[in-house]
Amino acid sequence: MLTNAEIIERGNRYVMSTYGRAPVALVRGEGIRVWDADGKCYLDFVGGLAVNSLGHCHPKVAASLAAQARTLIHCSNLYWIEPQVRLAQRLVELSGLGQAFFCNSGTEANEAAIKLARKYARSQGGPERYEIIAMEKSFHGRTLGALAATWQPKLREAFEPLVPGFKFVPLNDLSALEAAIDEKTCAVMLEPVQGEGGVHMAAPDYLKEVSRLCREKGLLLIFDEVQCGLGRTGRLFAWQHGEVRPDIMTLAKALGGGVPIGAMLAGEAVARAFVPGDHGSTFGGNPLACAAALAYLEVLEEEDLVGNAARVGVYFQERLQELAARFPLCQEVRGRGLILGMELSRPAAPLVDAAREAGLLINATSGNVLRFLPPLGVQPSDVDEAMEIMYRVFEGIEA
Ligand SMILES: *Cc1c(COP(=O)(O)O)cnc(C)c1O
């Protein structure tokens, strides 16, 4: 077994430097706790960036993976795959959408959504209808199509020219959206709760109006629920908080209980625009990942984790509000369920480092926003434990 220092030294030598990494290597996890290579234990409120929604190594996911690994790990989409078919049926029943496509990540799910939207719009309105309107502060992934839908200039600039056909408008500004729509527009794409952009919520009324506008203008509505979906906001899908349903929805992060899988769902009429050869993925929807995802959805229901996320999310947000009232460097607390952000008047990174040293993993996004994404089964006592560390960290920063 290597130590933190040994792993970091080798990593710096052999792994491409695409991440700013904390100086610890995590080697083991159980529930809401993880351990590093030197044996130090942490309370995990990063949760694999919204992936470990069941906590670490949930026994049901582990058992399902082990059983499927002994039966059939991979066979290719040239053949029908029972766990994939069952997962598609389950997601369709839960979402009210029509059909599913499977891939391996969030960015791939969004690539699939962009391609499907273009193909469908072309079949309806011709090849000139290909533009997608996305939101400022959006994050949809890092492959070239999904990156073109991602707003943040510093993620995009070095890789231009990107895929053409994307425009950005501010979130929650209906008239800006209305003004941006023209004869080229085929779809509107947004995260009901923006994650990487700093935990910004689309207002329920705004979503309703966007949905109405899309129907009126014959545009597809695409929701990226890669981060906010699958229970995190206290509903299975974040759009279920309002009276809207998208035409296309993307999922990934939490779906496989820690195993890579992404999904793109669409209403049946839109979904049928894809015909054999239009899109594909060697690993997408493989038996192993689908078995994990089926276990994920079962555990959500058995343990009422969506309800827990709603309940404990309210408690956690109240505790964060108390903290914010006490320390002037806290500007705002926002979010829903267990996707929560605290905007600071200064860079968040030193607080993230101090919290980690004190045994709490949290994350900073957009420079000055602390983000909290604990497992959906987090208990009020875990929140109290985290808050105790947070108070100490904030006192230390202020001093
Ligand atoms: C993380 C994320 C993605 C990208 O997912 P990957 O699995 O990292 O490719 C896309 N959209 C949103 C909203 C995300 O949070």
Side-chain angles (χ1 to χ4, degrees):
M1 287 274 284
L2 301 178
T3 63
N4 280 331
E6 287 164 345
I7 294 169
I8 292 163
E9 192 198 321
R10 279 199 213 183
N12 282 326
R13 171 88 179 83
Y14 293 112
V15 180
M16 283 196 203
S17 178
T18 60
Y19 297 96
R21 297 181 199 255
V24 296
L26 301 178
V27 294
R28 184 165 70 84
E30 194 183 315
I32 198 167
R33 286 170 210 278
V34 283
W35 285 263
D36 73 16
D38 296 346
K40 180 170 169 162
C41 178
Y42 304 87
L43 192 60
D44 186 3
F45 274 51
V46 173
L49 286 175
V51 168
N52 299 110
S53 286
L54 303 185
H56 292 277
C57 303
H58 192 285
K60 187 144 188 175
V61 174
S64 177
L65 279 169
Q68 188 62 49
R70 285 191 295 262
T71 308
L72 184 68
I73 294 177
H74 181 81
C75 66
S76 163
N77 284 304
L78 293 174
Y79 310 97
W80 289 101
I81 298 168
E82 184 183 334
Q84 181 186 121
V85 170
R86 280 153 40 98
L87 179 60
Q89 180 181 359
R90 196 75 194 104
L91 290 172
V92 163
E93 287 166 357
L94 290 167
S95 66
L97 292 171
Q99 291 186 319
F101 169 83
F102 294 104
C103 50
N104 313 287
S105 67
T107 200
E108 283 177 68
N110 287 325
E111 292 290 332
I114 292 163
K115 282 181 71 175
L116 180 62
R118 283 190 174 190
K119 179 95 196 286
Y120 178 78
R122 171 180 282 257
S123 73
Q124 301 291 302
E128 294 307 313
R129 285 192 77 183
Y130 61 87
E131 259 185 16
I132 295 175
I133 302 175
M135 299 295 141
E136 293 180 5
K137 299 193 168 82
S138 66
F139 183 85
H140 297 295
R142 294 171 182 276
T143 54
L144 289 169
L147 187 60
T150 292
W151 176 76
Q152 216 183 94
K154 85 164 200 271
L155 302 182
R156 300 163 54 96
E157 270 161 16
F159 308 101
E160 284 169 353
L162 298 177
V163 176
F166 292 86
K167 277 199 236 184
F168 297 94
V169 295
L171 183 70
N172 291 328
D173 183 340
L174 192 71
S175 43
L177 177 61
E178 231 166 337
I181 294 170
D182 60 27
E183 66 286 348
K184 285 190 184 152
T185 313
C186 76
V188 175
M189 181 172 188
L190 63 88
E191 301 151 82
V193 182
Q194 293 181 329
E196 302 307 302
V199 190
H200 297 281
M201 291 195 289
D205 284 349
Y206 172 75
L207 286 185
K208 231 180 287 175
E209 286 301 302
V210 172
S211 169
R212 181 194 55 76
L213 194 59
C214 285
R215 237 174 306 137
E216 193 182 294
K217 307 263 185 190
L219 309 177
L220 294 172
L221 181 56
I222 306 172
F223 284 168
D224 178 343
E225 293 245 353
V226 167
Q227 184 162 158
C228 64
L230 295 164
R232 183 147 295 277
T233 63
R235 299 295 299 267
L236 187 61
F237 305 115
W239 51 262
Q240 290 171 329
H241 291 283
E243 294 150 39
V244 288
R245 175 177 288 132
D247 301 295
I248 299 176
M249 165 172 71
T250 56
L251 301 171
K253 292 202 162 92
L255 182 57
V259 174
I261 181 170
M264 187 269 292
L265 284 99
E268 184 163 356
V270 176
R272 295 271 178 210
F274 267 174
V275 297
D278 276 340
H279 200 47
S281 164
T282 295
F283 289 120
N286 68 77
L288 193 70
C290 290
L294 284 164
Y296 175 84
L297 294 173
E298 272 174 38
V299 173
L300 270 196
E301 210 171 292
E302 284 166 9
E303 300 183 9
D304 183 30
L305 293 178
V306 184
N308 191 71
R311 287 186 296 273
V312 180
V314 168
Y315 176 70
F316 191 9
Q317 187 155 171
E318 284 167 6
R319 296 293 321 265
L320 288 171
Q321 296 285 8
E322 283 165 27
L323 180 92
R326 161 95 169 61
F327 296 96
L329 74 104
C330 301
Q331 307 279 289
E332 190 181 35
V333 175
R334 51 182 184 249
R336 183 168 232 161
L338 293 172
I339 175 166
L340 296 172
M342 176 183 267
E343 185 163 331
L344 307 177
S345 58
R346 49 165 292 158
L351 287 96
V352 169
D353 292 338
R356 187 184 61 252
E357 275 152 33
L360 171 67
L361 300 185
I362 51 176
N363 158 259
T365 187
S366 294
N368 65 334
V369 180
L370 289 175
R371 182 172 40 166
F372 307 91
L373 300 161
L376 306 188
V378 65
Q379 294 299 302
S381 58
D382 302 318
V383 170
D384 291 344
E385 190 180 335
M387 291 308 300
E388 206 175 294
I389 295 174
M390 292 277 291
Y391 271 87
R392 266 192 279 140
V393 165
F394 274 76
E395 276 156 13
I397 289 282
E398 243 189 12

